[in-house]
Amino acid sequence: MSSTHVPVDSQTISFGDLTELLRQIFLRHGTSANVAAVLAQNCASAERDGSHSHGIFRIKGYLSSLAAGWVDGRVVPQVEDVGAGFVRVDAGGGFAQPAVQAAKALLIEKARTAGIAILAIRNSHHFAALWPDVEPFAQEGLVALSVVNSMTCVVPHDAQAPLFGTNPIAFAAPRAGGQPIVFDMATSAIAHGDVQIAAREGRTLPPGMGVDRAGQPTRDPAAILDGGALLPFGGYKGSALSMMVELLSAALTGGHFSFEFDMSTRPGAQTPWTGQTIIVIDPDKGGGQAFAQRSEELVRQMYRVGQQRMPGDRRYRQREKSLQQGIVLSAQDWVWLKSLAHC
Ligand code: NDP
Ligand code: PYC
């Protein structure tokens, strides 16, 4: 073990033990065994990689939505083979990740045959980081792009009221000399989860993230959460990408736009009820040299001109550390998770 500082008031847990603890929690709060396993793996992976806004921080929201009957933790997703390169899934009001899992083998088979395949998921709840939905494809030599819309809280560029969700885009591509290239980013200036964490910790946000209930710029996360809203990143450019995410996640799939459901009608509901699209490409069908060699060359050139790190590198570094030294949880979170598993 390294001598890296670990806070005294904390608990260190292995990735496997955290996954198992979370699996028990989901199981005890109304999910099927399969859904519990899929969500536990997803949530523990986020905590392992330091994606803290979408790790155990989200457990309260998952359980609240389950208890409210807003999301179905037991439904079995219905996979439909609708074209040479098109797979559809009706998630049945359940979580998106089991829908991805149910369709994955067919999607990969189609991508390898046709060169490209689309997975269109509707009637689904996505409450997680998006990178776990694309990274595994790149580990199999494929290129993957995913989008998911969330809940109305982002004001389109130049507009006066929120309409879009925080709508992330995630991309993954194989690379010859290292871990896959992966980026995963909200199209809002900041993820909603990070606003909640800043409010909890009493931190002020950088300028340009959001507005208060009167539409005035604010750096106070509590004012954003209390009737205010977020802004897209990068002005009209981020706003256009957020619009694209709405179209691909909802219009294409048959899911809800971020503004088409109202969580306030179901007390306790926290998970956005929308849709998700994943596009998978087999780069071997391209006309260039081996894709992974070419992506390695691009990375080499990026470093040569001064880029300090690749997107995804912070996570990979944190992953390695967590796998070697364990995942550090606060004592408070540890006691809370144990109580949820045994209640
Ligand atoms: P960040 O702004 O923290 O990071 C966005 C991307 O940029 C990451 O791939 C990150 O890599 C990379 N990056 C960050 N800093 C640098 C740098 N200095 N150099 C190079 N690359 C860099 O993410 P967001 O706050 O936008 O999103 C956080 C999470 O919230 C995401 O996982 C997203 O999927 C999730 N989310 C989920 C939603 C949902 O509906 N399910 C809605 C909105 C957000 P690295 O990870 O290595 O830091
Ligand atoms: O952090 O913006 C967010 C978010 C929305 C849904 C899940 N995470």
Side-chain angles (χ1 to χ4, degrees), residues 51 53-54 126-131 148-150 166-168 182-186 188 190-191 194 272 307 309-315:
S51 298
S53 60
H54 291 81
H126 200 296
F127 203 47
L130 198 54
W131 61 262
V148 63
N149 59 331
S150 65
T166 44
N167 297 3
V182 177
F183 74 75
D184 173 16
M185 51 176 222
S188 48
I190 184 171
D194 284 319
Q307 174 138 356
R309 72 158 171 104
M310 291 297 294
D313 278 359
R314 179 198 56 81
R315 281 193 307 102

PDB file of all heavy atoms in Angstrom, residues 51 53-54 126-131 148-150 166-168 182-186 188 190-191 194 272 307 309-315, ligand 1:
ATOM      1  N   SER A  51     -15.837   9.955 -10.529  1.00  0.00           N
ATOM      2  CA  SER A  51     -16.974  10.674 -11.123  1.00  0.00           C
ATOM      3  C   SER A  51     -17.995  10.899 -10.004  1.00  0.00           C
ATOM      4  O   SER A  51     -19.083  10.301  -9.987  1.00  0.00           O
ATOM      5  CB  SER A  51     -17.611   9.856 -12.256  1.00  0.00           C
ATOM      6  OG  SER A  51     -16.699   9.636 -13.301  1.00  0.00           O
ATOM      7  N   SER A  53     -20.085  13.140  -8.972  1.00  0.00           N
ATOM      8  CA  SER A  53     -21.468  13.624  -9.107  1.00  0.00           C
ATOM      9  C   SER A  53     -22.404  12.500  -9.570  1.00  0.00           C
ATOM     10  O   SER A  53     -23.624  12.672  -9.546  1.00  0.00           O
ATOM     11  CB  SER A  53     -21.529  14.808 -10.082  1.00  0.00           C
ATOM     12  OG  SER A  53     -21.069  14.428 -11.367  1.00  0.00           O
ATOM     13  N   HIS A  54     -21.842  11.360  -9.991  1.00  0.00           N
ATOM     14  CA  HIS A  54     -22.681  10.268 -10.474  1.00  0.00           C
ATOM     15  C   HIS A  54     -22.312   8.919  -9.861  1.00  0.00           C
ATOM     16  O   HIS A  54     -22.628   7.866 -10.412  1.00  0.00           O
ATOM     17  CB  HIS A  54     -22.692  10.227 -12.007  1.00  0.00           C
ATOM     18  CG  HIS A  54     -23.424  11.403 -12.559  1.00  0.00           C
ATOM     19  ND1 HIS A  54     -22.831  12.641 -12.690  1.00  0.00           N
ATOM     20  CD2 HIS A  54     -24.716  11.559 -12.938  1.00  0.00           C
ATOM     21  CE1 HIS A  54     -23.718  13.514 -13.151  1.00  0.00           C
ATOM     22  NE2 HIS A  54     -24.864  12.882 -13.308  1.00  0.00           N
ATOM     23  N   HIS A 126     -32.236   7.684 -17.122  1.00  0.00           N
ATOM     24  CA  HIS A 126     -30.766   7.682 -17.060  1.00  0.00           C
ATOM     25  C   HIS A 126     -30.350   8.681 -16.000  1.00  0.00           C
ATOM     26  O   HIS A 126     -30.604   9.872 -16.126  1.00  0.00           O
ATOM     27  CB  HIS A 126     -30.177   8.068 -18.424  1.00  0.00           C
ATOM     28  CG  HIS A 126     -28.753   7.639 -18.616  1.00  0.00           C
ATOM     29  ND1 HIS A 126     -27.724   8.139 -17.841  1.00  0.00           N
ATOM     30  CD2 HIS A 126     -28.176   6.758 -19.475  1.00  0.00           C
ATOM     31  CE1 HIS A 126     -26.579   7.574 -18.239  1.00  0.00           C
ATOM     32  NE2 HIS A 126     -26.826   6.732 -19.217  1.00  0.00           N
ATOM     33  N   PHE A 127     -29.674   8.192 -14.968  1.00  0.00           N
ATOM     34  CA  PHE A 127     -29.344   9.050 -13.820  1.00  0.00           C
ATOM     35  C   PHE A 127     -27.841   8.974 -13.530  1.00  0.00           C
ATOM     36  O   PHE A 127     -27.394   9.278 -12.440  1.00  0.00           O
ATOM     37  CB  PHE A 127     -30.136   8.534 -12.605  1.00  0.00           C
ATOM     38  CG  PHE A 127     -30.366   9.520 -11.510  1.00  0.00           C
ATOM     39  CD1 PHE A 127     -30.820  10.808 -11.784  1.00  0.00           C
ATOM     40  CD2 PHE A 127     -30.165   9.157 -10.182  1.00  0.00           C
ATOM     41  CE1 PHE A 127     -31.056  11.714 -10.757  1.00  0.00           C
ATOM     42  CE2 PHE A 127     -30.398  10.053  -9.147  1.00  0.00           C
ATOM     43  CZ  PHE A 127     -30.843  11.340  -9.439  1.00  0.00           C
ATOM     44  N   ALA A 128     -27.089   8.561 -14.546  1.00  0.00           N
ATOM     45  CA  ALA A 128     -25.689   8.179 -14.316  1.00  0.00           C
ATOM     46  C   ALA A 128     -24.751   8.963 -15.213  1.00  0.00           C
ATOM     47  O   ALA A 128     -25.165   9.738 -16.073  1.00  0.00           O
ATOM     48  CB  ALA A 128     -25.545   6.683 -14.612  1.00  0.00           C
ATOM     49  N   ALA A 129     -23.452   8.734 -15.026  1.00  0.00           N
ATOM     50  CA  ALA A 129     -22.461   9.213 -15.994  1.00  0.00           C
ATOM     51  C   ALA A 129     -22.673   8.452 -17.296  1.00  0.00           C
ATOM     52  O   ALA A 129     -23.120   7.297 -17.310  1.00  0.00           O
ATOM     53  CB  ALA A 129     -21.060   8.967 -15.455  1.00  0.00           C
ATOM     54  N   LEU A 130     -22.293   9.086 -18.410  1.00  0.00           N
ATOM     55  CA  LEU A 130     -22.539   8.464 -19.720  1.00  0.00           C
ATOM     56  C   LEU A 130     -21.351   7.636 -20.209  1.00  0.00           C
ATOM     57  O   LEU A 130     -21.512   6.755 -21.051  1.00  0.00           O
ATOM     58  CB  LEU A 130     -22.902   9.568 -20.723  1.00  0.00           C
ATOM     59  CG  LEU A 130     -23.597   9.175 -22.016  1.00  0.00           C
ATOM     60  CD1 LEU A 130     -24.851   8.352 -21.765  1.00  0.00           C
ATOM     61  CD2 LEU A 130     -23.948  10.414 -22.823  1.00  0.00           C
ATOM     62  N   TRP A 131     -20.129   7.944 -19.706  1.00  0.00           N
ATOM     63  CA  TRP A 131     -18.958   7.237 -20.236  1.00  0.00           C
ATOM     64  C   TRP A 131     -19.053   5.709 -20.091  1.00  0.00           C
ATOM     65  O   TRP A 131     -18.558   4.985 -20.976  1.00  0.00           O
ATOM     66  CB  TRP A 131     -17.647   7.782 -19.637  1.00  0.00           C
ATOM     67  CG  TRP A 131     -17.508   7.663 -18.152  1.00  0.00           C
ATOM     68  CD1 TRP A 131     -17.751   8.634 -17.235  1.00  0.00           C
ATOM     69  CD2 TRP A 131     -17.115   6.506 -17.399  1.00  0.00           C
ATOM     70  NE1 TRP A 131     -17.545   8.167 -15.968  1.00  0.00           N
ATOM     71  CE2 TRP A 131     -17.153   6.863 -16.047  1.00  0.00           C
ATOM     72  CE3 TRP A 131     -16.742   5.208 -17.742  1.00  0.00           C
ATOM     73  CZ2 TRP A 131     -16.823   5.968 -15.021  1.00  0.00           C
ATOM     74  CZ3 TRP A 131     -16.413   4.312 -16.737  1.00  0.00           C
ATOM     75  CH2 TRP A 131     -16.460   4.705 -15.400  1.00  0.00           C
ATOM     76  N   VAL A 148     -27.818  11.468 -24.229  1.00  0.00           N
ATOM     77  CA  VAL A 148     -29.018  11.228 -23.419  1.00  0.00           C
ATOM     78  C   VAL A 148     -29.538  12.585 -22.952  1.00  0.00           C
ATOM     79  O   VAL A 148     -28.739  13.447 -22.582  1.00  0.00           O
ATOM     80  CB  VAL A 148     -28.714  10.272 -22.230  1.00  0.00           C
ATOM     81  CG1 VAL A 148     -27.707  10.853 -21.244  1.00  0.00           C
ATOM     82  CG2 VAL A 148     -29.979   9.879 -21.483  1.00  0.00           C
ATOM     83  N   ASN A 149     -30.853  12.769 -23.010  1.00  0.00           N
ATOM     84  CA  ASN A 149     -31.388  14.031 -22.483  1.00  0.00           C
ATOM     85  C   ASN A 149     -31.853  13.828 -21.050  1.00  0.00           C
ATOM     86  O   ASN A 149     -32.031  12.687 -20.605  1.00  0.00           O
ATOM     87  CB  ASN A 149     -32.485  14.604 -23.401  1.00  0.00           C
ATOM     88  CG  ASN A 149     -33.669  13.680 -23.595  1.00  0.00           C
ATOM     89  OD1 ASN A 149     -33.536  12.467 -23.542  1.00  0.00           O
ATOM     90  ND2 ASN A 149     -34.824  14.260 -23.835  1.00  0.00           N
ATOM     91  N   SER A 150     -32.014  14.926 -20.329  1.00  0.00           N
ATOM     92  CA  SER A 150     -32.356  14.771 -18.907  1.00  0.00           C
ATOM     93  C   SER A 150     -33.627  15.543 -18.563  1.00  0.00           C
ATOM     94  O   SER A 150     -34.667  15.260 -19.158  1.00  0.00           O
ATOM     95  CB  SER A 150     -31.163  15.143 -18.016  1.00  0.00           C
ATOM     96  OG  SER A 150     -30.807  16.504 -18.121  1.00  0.00           O
ATOM     97  N   THR A 166     -29.580  18.832 -19.173  1.00  0.00           N
ATOM     98  CA  THR A 166     -28.129  19.026 -19.118  1.00  0.00           C
ATOM     99  C   THR A 166     -27.413  18.157 -20.165  1.00  0.00           C
ATOM    100  O   THR A 166     -26.210  18.293 -20.369  1.00  0.00           O
ATOM    101  CB  THR A 166     -27.596  18.732 -17.711  1.00  0.00           C
ATOM    102  OG1 THR A 166     -28.216  17.529 -17.237  1.00  0.00           O
ATOM    103  CG2 THR A 166     -27.903  19.864 -16.755  1.00  0.00           C
ATOM    104  N   ASN A 167     -28.137  17.257 -20.775  1.00  0.00           N
ATOM    105  CA  ASN A 167     -27.870  16.593 -22.048  1.00  0.00           C
ATOM    106  C   ASN A 167     -26.409  16.260 -22.397  1.00  0.00           C
ATOM    107  O   ASN A 167     -25.830  16.890 -23.305  1.00  0.00           O
ATOM    108  CB  ASN A 167     -28.484  17.453 -23.167  1.00  0.00           C
ATOM    109  CG  ASN A 167     -29.989  17.576 -23.047  1.00  0.00           C
ATOM    110  OD1 ASN A 167     -30.566  17.070 -22.102  1.00  0.00           O
ATOM    111  ND2 ASN A 167     -30.614  18.219 -24.012  1.00  0.00           N
ATOM    112  N   PRO A 168     -25.833  15.250 -21.763  1.00  0.00           N
ATOM    113  CA  PRO A 168     -24.427  14.944 -22.057  1.00  0.00           C
ATOM    114  C   PRO A 168     -24.212  14.223 -23.390  1.00  0.00           C
ATOM    115  O   PRO A 168     -25.119  13.587 -23.927  1.00  0.00           O
ATOM    116  CB  PRO A 168     -24.020  14.024 -20.906  1.00  0.00           C
ATOM    117  CG  PRO A 168     -25.287  13.381 -20.480  1.00  0.00           C
ATOM    118  CD  PRO A 168     -26.391  14.381 -20.735  1.00  0.00           C
ATOM    119  N   VAL A 182     -11.708   8.733 -24.385  1.00  0.00           N
ATOM    120  CA  VAL A 182     -13.108   8.879 -23.979  1.00  0.00           C
ATOM    121  C   VAL A 182     -13.342  10.294 -23.491  1.00  0.00           C
ATOM    122  O   VAL A 182     -12.585  10.785 -22.640  1.00  0.00           O
ATOM    123  CB  VAL A 182     -13.471   7.902 -22.822  1.00  0.00           C
ATOM    124  CG1 VAL A 182     -14.921   8.131 -22.379  1.00  0.00           C
ATOM    125  CG2 VAL A 182     -13.277   6.453 -23.245  1.00  0.00           C
ATOM    126  N   PHE A 183     -14.354  10.948 -24.030  1.00  0.00           N
ATOM    127  CA  PHE A 183     -14.813  12.154 -23.334  1.00  0.00           C
ATOM    128  C   PHE A 183     -16.289  12.014 -23.033  1.00  0.00           C
ATOM    129  O   PHE A 183     -17.015  11.288 -23.716  1.00  0.00           O
ATOM    130  CB  PHE A 183     -14.492  13.447 -24.108  1.00  0.00           C
ATOM    131  CG  PHE A 183     -15.343  13.731 -25.318  1.00  0.00           C
ATOM    132  CD1 PHE A 183     -16.651  14.179 -25.188  1.00  0.00           C
ATOM    133  CD2 PHE A 183     -14.834  13.570 -26.594  1.00  0.00           C
ATOM    134  CE1 PHE A 183     -17.435  14.447 -26.300  1.00  0.00           C
ATOM    135  CE2 PHE A 183     -15.619  13.848 -27.722  1.00  0.00           C
ATOM    136  CZ  PHE A 183     -16.916  14.277 -27.563  1.00  0.00           C
ATOM    137  N   ASP A 184     -16.696  12.689 -21.999  1.00  0.00           N
ATOM    138  CA  ASP A 184     -18.082  12.619 -21.526  1.00  0.00           C
ATOM    139  C   ASP A 184     -18.395  13.962 -20.903  1.00  0.00           C
ATOM    140  O   ASP A 184     -17.831  14.309 -19.858  1.00  0.00           O
ATOM    141  CB  ASP A 184     -18.203  11.493 -20.490  1.00  0.00           C
ATOM    142  CG  ASP A 184     -19.572  11.468 -19.819  1.00  0.00           C
ATOM    143  OD1 ASP A 184     -20.515  12.088 -20.339  1.00  0.00           O
ATOM    144  OD2 ASP A 184     -19.683  10.808 -18.760  1.00  0.00           O
ATOM    145  N   MET A 185     -19.263  14.735 -21.533  1.00  0.00           N
ATOM    146  CA  MET A 185     -19.491  16.096 -21.037  1.00  0.00           C
ATOM    147  C   MET A 185     -20.942  16.522 -21.168  1.00  0.00           C
ATOM    148  O   MET A 185     -21.593  16.276 -22.191  1.00  0.00           O
ATOM    149  CB  MET A 185     -18.613  17.075 -21.819  1.00  0.00           C
ATOM    150  CG  MET A 185     -18.740  16.924 -23.316  1.00  0.00           C
ATOM    151  SD  MET A 185     -17.791  18.175 -24.154  1.00  0.00           S
ATOM    152  CE  MET A 185     -18.937  18.623 -25.438  1.00  0.00           C
ATOM    153  N   ALA A 186     -21.423  17.164 -20.119  1.00  0.00           N
ATOM    154  CA  ALA A 186     -22.742  17.801 -20.183  1.00  0.00           C
ATOM    155  C   ALA A 186     -22.669  18.912 -21.225  1.00  0.00           C
ATOM    156  O   ALA A 186     -21.601  19.506 -21.440  1.00  0.00           O
ATOM    157  CB  ALA A 186     -23.091  18.383 -18.820  1.00  0.00           C
ATOM    158  N   SER A 188     -24.583  21.493 -20.758  1.00  0.00           N
ATOM    159  CA  SER A 188     -24.771  22.667 -19.901  1.00  0.00           C
ATOM    160  C   SER A 188     -23.387  23.110 -19.426  1.00  0.00           C
ATOM    161  O   SER A 188     -22.427  22.328 -19.471  1.00  0.00           O
ATOM    162  CB  SER A 188     -25.653  22.309 -18.705  1.00  0.00           C
ATOM    163  OG  SER A 188     -25.217  21.104 -18.095  1.00  0.00           O
ATOM    164  N   ILE A 190     -22.357  23.450 -16.598  1.00  0.00           N
ATOM    165  CA  ILE A 190     -21.980  22.595 -15.464  1.00  0.00           C
ATOM    166  C   ILE A 190     -23.075  21.550 -15.304  1.00  0.00           C
ATOM    167  O   ILE A 190     -24.245  21.821 -15.617  1.00  0.00           O
ATOM    168  CB  ILE A 190     -21.808  23.457 -14.168  1.00  0.00           C
ATOM    169  CG1 ILE A 190     -21.328  22.609 -12.983  1.00  0.00           C
ATOM    170  CG2 ILE A 190     -23.084  24.202 -13.814  1.00  0.00           C
ATOM    171  CD1 ILE A 190     -20.943  23.438 -11.754  1.00  0.00           C
ATOM    172  N   ALA A 191     -22.701  20.346 -14.868  1.00  0.00           N
ATOM    173  CA  ALA A 191     -23.716  19.309 -14.655  1.00  0.00           C
ATOM    174  C   ALA A 191     -24.567  19.688 -13.441  1.00  0.00           C
ATOM    175  O   ALA A 191     -24.078  20.307 -12.488  1.00  0.00           O
ATOM    176  CB  ALA A 191     -23.040  17.956 -14.432  1.00  0.00           C
ATOM    177  N   ASP A 194     -23.179  18.594 -10.147  1.00  0.00           N
ATOM    178  CA  ASP A 194     -22.095  19.411  -9.574  1.00  0.00           C
ATOM    179  C   ASP A 194     -22.636  20.681  -8.926  1.00  0.00           C
ATOM    180  O   ASP A 194     -22.024  21.195  -7.981  1.00  0.00           O
ATOM    181  CB  ASP A 194     -21.047  19.734 -10.649  1.00  0.00           C
ATOM    182  CG  ASP A 194     -20.167  18.522 -10.935  1.00  0.00           C
ATOM    183  OD1 ASP A 194     -19.787  17.823  -9.967  1.00  0.00           O
ATOM    184  OD2 ASP A 194     -19.884  18.253 -12.109  1.00  0.00           O
ATOM    185  N   PRO A 272     -34.654  11.428 -14.557  1.00  0.00           N
ATOM    186  CA  PRO A 272     -35.277  11.914 -15.787  1.00  0.00           C
ATOM    187  C   PRO A 272     -35.796  10.764 -16.662  1.00  0.00           C
ATOM    188  O   PRO A 272     -35.075   9.784 -16.899  1.00  0.00           O
ATOM    189  CB  PRO A 272     -34.149  12.667 -16.495  1.00  0.00           C
ATOM    190  CG  PRO A 272     -32.924  12.513 -15.691  1.00  0.00           C
ATOM    191  CD  PRO A 272     -33.214  11.697 -14.470  1.00  0.00           C
ATOM    192  N   GLN A 307      -0.760  19.878 -25.290  1.00  0.00           N
ATOM    193  CA  GLN A 307      -1.907  19.431 -24.468  1.00  0.00           C
ATOM    194  C   GLN A 307      -1.363  18.679 -23.254  1.00  0.00           C
ATOM    195  O   GLN A 307      -0.447  17.864 -23.364  1.00  0.00           O
ATOM    196  CB  GLN A 307      -2.843  18.541 -25.289  1.00  0.00           C
ATOM    197  CG  GLN A 307      -3.955  17.953 -24.444  1.00  0.00           C
ATOM    198  CD  GLN A 307      -5.328  17.944 -25.103  1.00  0.00           C
ATOM    199  OE1 GLN A 307      -5.512  18.446 -26.195  1.00  0.00           O
ATOM    200  NE2 GLN A 307      -6.299  17.368 -24.415  1.00  0.00           N
ATOM    201  N   ARG A 309      -3.136  16.780 -20.940  1.00  0.00           N
ATOM    202  CA  ARG A 309      -3.692  15.441 -20.706  1.00  0.00           C
ATOM    203  C   ARG A 309      -4.860  15.189 -21.631  1.00  0.00           C
ATOM    204  O   ARG A 309      -5.468  16.112 -22.162  1.00  0.00           O
ATOM    205  CB  ARG A 309      -4.143  15.303 -19.249  1.00  0.00           C
ATOM    206  CG  ARG A 309      -5.415  16.099 -18.906  1.00  0.00           C
ATOM    207  CD  ARG A 309      -6.030  15.463 -17.679  1.00  0.00           C
ATOM    208  NE  ARG A 309      -7.124  16.158 -17.068  1.00  0.00           N
ATOM    209  CZ  ARG A 309      -8.406  15.784 -17.204  1.00  0.00           C
ATOM    210  NH1 ARG A 309      -8.729  14.764 -17.980  1.00  0.00           N
ATOM    211  NH2 ARG A 309      -9.365  16.417 -16.558  1.00  0.00           N
ATOM    212  N   MET A 310      -5.167  13.912 -21.826  1.00  0.00           N
ATOM    213  CA  MET A 310      -6.315  13.555 -22.650  1.00  0.00           C
ATOM    214  C   MET A 310      -7.569  13.530 -21.788  1.00  0.00           C
ATOM    215  O   MET A 310      -7.500  13.200 -20.599  1.00  0.00           O
ATOM    216  CB  MET A 310      -6.109  12.151 -23.244  1.00  0.00           C
ATOM    217  CG  MET A 310      -5.024  12.072 -24.280  1.00  0.00           C
ATOM    218  SD  MET A 310      -5.425  13.083 -25.717  1.00  0.00           S
ATOM    219  CE  MET A 310      -6.875  12.207 -26.357  1.00  0.00           C
ATOM    220  N   PRO A 311      -8.743  13.844 -22.379  1.00  0.00           N
ATOM    221  CA  PRO A 311      -9.973  13.614 -21.624  1.00  0.00           C
ATOM    222  C   PRO A 311     -10.028  12.133 -21.254  1.00  0.00           C
ATOM    223  O   PRO A 311      -9.644  11.285 -22.057  1.00  0.00           O
ATOM    224  CB  PRO A 311     -11.092  13.991 -22.612  1.00  0.00           C
ATOM    225  CG  PRO A 311     -10.458  14.157 -23.937  1.00  0.00           C
ATOM    226  CD  PRO A 311      -8.993  14.358 -23.742  1.00  0.00           C
ATOM    227  N   GLY A 312     -10.484  11.847 -20.080  1.00  0.00           N
ATOM    228  CA  GLY A 312     -10.528  10.454 -19.611  1.00  0.00           C
ATOM    229  C   GLY A 312      -9.332  10.098 -18.747  1.00  0.00           C
ATOM    230  O   GLY A 312      -9.414   9.181 -17.923  1.00  0.00           O
ATOM    231  N   ASP A 313      -8.220  10.837 -18.897  1.00  0.00           N
ATOM    232  CA  ASP A 313      -7.005  10.466 -18.157  1.00  0.00           C
ATOM    233  C   ASP A 313      -7.160  10.615 -16.648  1.00  0.00           C
ATOM    234  O   ASP A 313      -6.613   9.820 -15.884  1.00  0.00           O
ATOM    235  CB  ASP A 313      -5.807  11.302 -18.613  1.00  0.00           C
ATOM    236  CG  ASP A 313      -5.187  10.737 -19.880  1.00  0.00           C
ATOM    237  OD1 ASP A 313      -5.687   9.700 -20.372  1.00  0.00           O
ATOM    238  OD2 ASP A 313      -4.214  11.340 -20.382  1.00  0.00           O
ATOM    239  N   ARG A 314      -7.875  11.668 -16.210  1.00  0.00           N
ATOM    240  CA  ARG A 314      -8.079  11.827 -14.760  1.00  0.00           C
ATOM    241  C   ARG A 314      -8.810  10.599 -14.212  1.00  0.00           C
ATOM    242  O   ARG A 314      -8.435  10.040 -13.184  1.00  0.00           O
ATOM    243  CB  ARG A 314      -8.898  13.106 -14.487  1.00  0.00           C
ATOM    244  CG  ARG A 314      -9.195  13.377 -13.030  1.00  0.00           C
ATOM    245  CD  ARG A 314     -10.348  14.363 -12.856  1.00  0.00           C
ATOM    246  NE  ARG A 314     -11.561  13.929 -13.536  1.00  0.00           N
ATOM    247  CZ  ARG A 314     -12.430  13.047 -13.066  1.00  0.00           C
ATOM    248  NH1 ARG A 314     -12.233  12.494 -11.882  1.00  0.00           N
ATOM    249  NH2 ARG A 314     -13.497  12.695 -13.760  1.00  0.00           N
ATOM    250  N   ARG A 315      -9.809  10.151 -14.955  1.00  0.00           N
ATOM    251  CA  ARG A 315     -10.567   8.978 -14.503  1.00  0.00           C
ATOM    252  C   ARG A 315      -9.676   7.737 -14.486  1.00  0.00           C
ATOM    253  O   ARG A 315      -9.711   6.946 -13.548  1.00  0.00           O
ATOM    254  CB  ARG A 315     -11.755   8.708 -15.433  1.00  0.00           C
ATOM    255  CG  ARG A 315     -12.944   9.570 -15.211  1.00  0.00           C
ATOM    256  CD  ARG A 315     -14.167   9.028 -15.938  1.00  0.00           C
ATOM    257  NE  ARG A 315     -13.978   8.764 -17.347  1.00  0.00           N
ATOM    258  CZ  ARG A 315     -13.790   7.549 -17.875  1.00  0.00           C
ATOM    259  NH1 ARG A 315     -13.776   6.476 -17.099  1.00  0.00           N
ATOM    260  NH2 ARG A 315     -13.617   7.400 -19.164  1.00  0.00           N
TER     261      ARG A 315
HETATM  262  P1  NDP B   1     -16.416  17.615 -16.945  1.00  0.00           P
HETATM  263  O1  NDP B   1     -16.593  19.020 -17.356  1.00  0.00           O
HETATM  264  O2  NDP B   1     -15.851  17.351 -15.609  1.00  0.00           O
HETATM  265  O3  NDP B   1     -15.516  16.830 -18.001  1.00  0.00           O
HETATM  266  C1  NDP B   1     -15.899  16.765 -19.355  1.00  0.00           C
HETATM  267  C2  NDP B   1     -14.857  16.000 -20.139  1.00  0.00           C
HETATM  268  O4  NDP B   1     -13.702  16.813 -20.287  1.00  0.00           O
HETATM  269  C3  NDP B   1     -14.388  14.726 -19.477  1.00  0.00           C
HETATM  270  O5  NDP B   1     -14.208  13.741 -20.440  1.00  0.00           O
HETATM  271  C4  NDP B   1     -13.081  15.142 -18.819  1.00  0.00           C
HETATM  272  O6  NDP B   1     -12.161  14.060 -18.654  1.00  0.00           O
HETATM  273  C5  NDP B   1     -12.557  16.126 -19.818  1.00  0.00           C
HETATM  274  N1  NDP B   1     -11.652  17.092 -19.226  1.00  0.00           N
HETATM  275  C6  NDP B   1     -11.853  17.818 -18.111  1.00  0.00           C
HETATM  276  N2  NDP B   1     -10.807  18.628 -17.881  1.00  0.00           N
HETATM  277  C7  NDP B   1      -9.923  18.404 -18.880  1.00  0.00           C
HETATM  278  C8  NDP B   1      -8.642  18.939 -19.207  1.00  0.00           C
HETATM  279  N3  NDP B   1      -8.067  19.855 -18.450  1.00  0.00           N
HETATM  280  N4  NDP B   1      -8.011  18.456 -20.305  1.00  0.00           N
HETATM  281  C9  NDP B   1      -8.596  17.521 -21.094  1.00  0.00           C
HETATM  282  N5  NDP B   1      -9.800  16.984 -20.835  1.00  0.00           N
HETATM  283  C10 NDP B   1     -10.467  17.433 -19.746  1.00  0.00           C
HETATM  284  O7  NDP B   1     -17.831  16.830 -17.062  1.00  0.00           O
HETATM  285  P2  NDP B   1     -19.288  17.418 -16.914  1.00  0.00           P
HETATM  286  O8  NDP B   1     -19.315  18.196 -15.650  1.00  0.00           O
HETATM  287  O9  NDP B   1     -19.706  18.091 -18.153  1.00  0.00           O
HETATM  288  O10 NDP B   1     -20.151  16.083 -16.723  1.00  0.00           O
HETATM  289  C11 NDP B   1     -19.986  15.323 -15.539  1.00  0.00           C
HETATM  290  C12 NDP B   1     -20.755  14.040 -15.647  1.00  0.00           C
HETATM  291  O11 NDP B   1     -22.155  14.290 -15.534  1.00  0.00           O
HETATM  292  C13 NDP B   1     -20.575  13.239 -16.937  1.00  0.00           C
HETATM  293  O12 NDP B   1     -20.192  11.931 -16.595  1.00  0.00           O
HETATM  294  C14 NDP B   1     -21.955  13.236 -17.571  1.00  0.00           C
HETATM  295  O13 NDP B   1     -22.273  12.067 -18.288  1.00  0.00           O
HETATM  296  C15 NDP B   1     -22.830  13.353 -16.337  1.00  0.00           C
HETATM  297  N6  NDP B   1     -24.155  13.846 -16.703  1.00  0.00           N
HETATM  298  C16 NDP B   1     -25.179  12.942 -16.786  1.00  0.00           C
HETATM  299  C17 NDP B   1     -26.428  13.368 -17.176  1.00  0.00           C
HETATM  300  C18 NDP B   1     -27.539  12.402 -17.364  1.00  0.00           C
HETATM  301  O14 NDP B   1     -28.624  12.809 -17.776  1.00  0.00           O
HETATM  302  N7  NDP B   1     -27.364  11.132 -17.088  1.00  0.00           N
HETATM  303  C19 NDP B   1     -26.719  14.785 -17.437  1.00  0.00           C
HETATM  304  C20 NDP B   1     -25.534  15.634 -17.354  1.00  0.00           C
HETATM  305  C21 NDP B   1     -24.309  15.176 -16.978  1.00  0.00           C
HETATM  306  P3  NDP B   1     -11.951  13.383 -17.179  1.00  0.00           P
HETATM  307  O15 NDP B   1     -13.217  12.628 -16.901  1.00  0.00           O
HETATM  308  O16 NDP B   1     -10.750  12.539 -17.316  1.00  0.00           O
HETATM  309  O17 NDP B   1     -11.765  14.551 -16.233  1.00  0.00           O
END
